[in-house]
Amino acid sequence: MTVSVEQRLFQNRYQIDHDRPHIRVKPHDKPSPLLLALTHACPAGCYTKNDHGQVELSVDGCVECGTCRIVCATTGEVEWTYPRGGFGVSYKFG
Ligand code: SF4
């Protein structure tokens, strides 16, 4: 039986830090092509484009892979830190 990426990600557990999201997108009118690419590159689908063409982020489901940090390292549009202790993803292995 083939298991999809979405099914595998659903097995993980997340403790969301609502008071201090560990990743933020800087306010912008028009995203750079690199920021826009995150709507496809994030494996957890955390980045979406809104009706105004801006890129929004919901850290729910973030697997802390660092892809967005690397992709936007040169643009500075993404502020990335690890979650505080006790928050973030808990992987289910196996
Ligand atoms: S760290 Fe990875 S999973 Fe989390 S928002 Fe960035 S690209 Fe998505």
Side-chain angles (χ1 to χ4, degrees), residues 22-23 38 41-47 57-59 61-69 71 78 80 91:
H22 66 286
I23 308 172
L38 294 178
C42 172
C46 295
Y47 288 86
L57 166 68
S58 171
V59 294
C62 170
V63 295
E64 300 167 29
C65 66
T67 300
C68 55
R69 180 180 190 173
V71 168
V78 171
W80 203 102
Y91 289 104

Side-chain angles (χ1 to χ4, degrees), residues 17-55:
D17 190 349
H18 295 287
D19 293 334
R20 202 186 83 180
H22 66 286
I23 308 172
R24 295 175 196 264
V25 174
K26 289 187 179 173
H28 58 279
D29 292 326
K30 183 179 176 197
S32 73
L34 289 173
L35 180 57
L36 195 56
L38 294 178
T39 61
H40 301 288
C42 172
C46 295
Y47 288 86
T48 55
K49 191 167 124 181
N50 68 20
D51 293 340
H52 303 289
Q54 298 154 333
V55 172

